[in-house]
Amino acid sequence: MRRKVIAGNWKMNMLPNEAIDYIQAFEPLVKDAKAEVILCVPYTDLFYAIMNAQNTNIKIGAQNVHFEEKGAYTGEVSAQMLKAIGVEYVIIGHSERRQYFAETDETVNKKIKAALANGLKPIVCVGETLEQREAGKTEEIITSQTRLALDGLTPEEVKGIIIAYEPIWAIGTGKTATSDDANNSIKAIRAEIAKNYGKDTSEEIIIQYGGSVKSTNAKELFNCSDIDGGLVGGASLKPEEFAKIVKYDE
Ligand code: PGA
């Protein structure tokens, strides 16, 4: 059976002192959670978050990474740099990065390879726009994003990746995909992975749902057959609310 993995994506929110206060409030609330808990925090919070989450069940992730090892790339941060301070996870290809920062399927693929080469676990985001959904292209878009993201990886490498299915129209809008729609999209992603990497890879890989997940809808979503947890934006900014999501099954 696949485990549930629930990750918070703070996006560009929280100063270091706020991150420290958050983790101190959050830790006792989730210390006996069955799901794996990850907080993906801004670069400037990473070190503080890692220090404060030591000896807890909270794992820390970044929200982006550059694909080159090092060199003249002003403003960028490499996988090796993240690994060196104790980062475990990294979000790659979030729709906000695809939309505002020219992230492409090709850079997503390169970033995944850089992350894996340095022992970071990628959380790879795929999802359709409202226009694509209305044109009946959801499955085509998300399977092609998945195929291109994972291109050139071995089944073993694919097993170590987390995919987050995030319909773009559901992000930050309060609109959630119905649990059936989300589950079916995730089944389509799993089928694409089965085709390219074999059935056991597709059965092992963790695939989350993201897009307006809250404590009131988490249980219904996460209880679906193919949804292995969630990537949570807005509702992860309050420790009490995010803890309820992490403990959706209680
Ligand atoms: P949201 O964001 O939960 O605020 O919709 C999800 C995400 O962007 O990962």
Side-chain angles (χ1 to χ4, degrees):
M1 250 243 315
R2 292 183 300 269
R3 66 195 194 283
K4 301 283 183 193
V5 181
I6 300 172
N9 173 12
W10 285 358
K11 308 193 179 184
M12 198 171 74
N13 293 292
M14 306 285 246
L15 299 174
N17 61 316
E18 294 170 319
I20 294 167
D21 289 349
Y22 181 111
I23 291 172
Q24 280 169 2
F26 183 58
E27 190 276 328
L29 304 177
V30 297
K31 65 174 191 305
D32 55 353
K34 291 188 214 100
E36 190 170 321
V37 195
I38 306 167
L39 291 174
C40 296
V41 309
Y43 285 140
T44 44
D45 290 343
L46 281 170
F47 184 72
Y48 300 95
I50 289 161
M51 285 307 179
N52 283 274
Q54 260 177 356
N55 304 316
T56 76
N57 58 333
I58 303 166
K59 314 261 171 66
I60 303 299
Q63 301 170 8
N64 184 32
V65 63
H66 191 57
F67 48 79
E68 294 292 348
E69 281 265 306
K70 57 174 142 176
Y73 301 100
T74 302
E76 293 295 333
V77 173
S78 73
Q80 197 179 18
M81 289 169 176
L82 295 176
K83 185 69 185 174
I85 61 163
V87 173
E88 281 187 65
Y89 289 87
V90 60
I91 298 175
I92 295 177
H94 190 279
S95 62
E96 286 151 16
R97 297 216 58 86
R98 294 183 194 249
Q99 197 180 343
Y100 309 133
F101 302 100
E103 192 84 84
T104 63
D105 290 324
E106 192 189 346
T107 56
V108 167
N109 177 253
K110 287 189 185 175
K111 289 179 176 193
I112 294 172
K113 287 175 177 162
L116 290 173
N118 287 283
L120 296 175
K121 295 177 200 147
I123 301 175
V124 181
C125 303
V126 301
E128 81 286 359
T129 62
L130 187 56
E131 214 183 359
Q132 290 163 336
R133 164 159 288 245
E134 285 172 349
K137 291 193 170 147
T138 299
E139 196 169 317
E140 178 188 327
I141 296 293
I142 60 181
T143 54
S144 111
Q145 285 176 339
T146 302
R147 180 167 35 80
L148 296 169
L150 305 181
D151 188 44
L153 302 185
T154 64
E156 274 320 303
E157 286 173 327
V158 173
K159 282 178 193 168
I161 286 175
I162 294 174
I163 293 184
Y165 166 60
E166 299 205 305
I168 295 170
W169 48 270
I171 295 178
T173 57
K175 291 191 197 125
T176 326
T178 65
S179 51
D180 276 349
D181 274 354
N183 201 42
N184 285 334
S185 291
I186 290 178
K187 279 186 179 162
I189 295 169
R190 246 183 245 292
E192 178 68 21
I193 293 170
K195 198 164 80 190
N196 303 321
Y197 302 94
K199 197 158 179 3
D200 43 297
T201 305
S202 77
E203 277 167 6
E204 230 176 274
I205 188 168
I206 301 289
I207 309 184
Q208 301 171 317
Y209 167 79
S212 298
V213 174
K214 323 183 244 303
S215 60
T216 47
N217 59 23
K219 186 169 182 168
E220 184 183 338
L221 287 161
F222 301 167
N223 276 335
C224 290
S225 63
D226 281 68
I227 304 181
D228 305 323
L231 182 58
V232 184
S236 74
L237 291 172
K238 296 242 157 53
E240 299 77 18
E241 169 69 3
F242 190 43
K244 281 190 202 156
I245 295 174
V246 167
K247 300 181 85 178
Y248 68 95
D249 53 343
E250 284 180 16

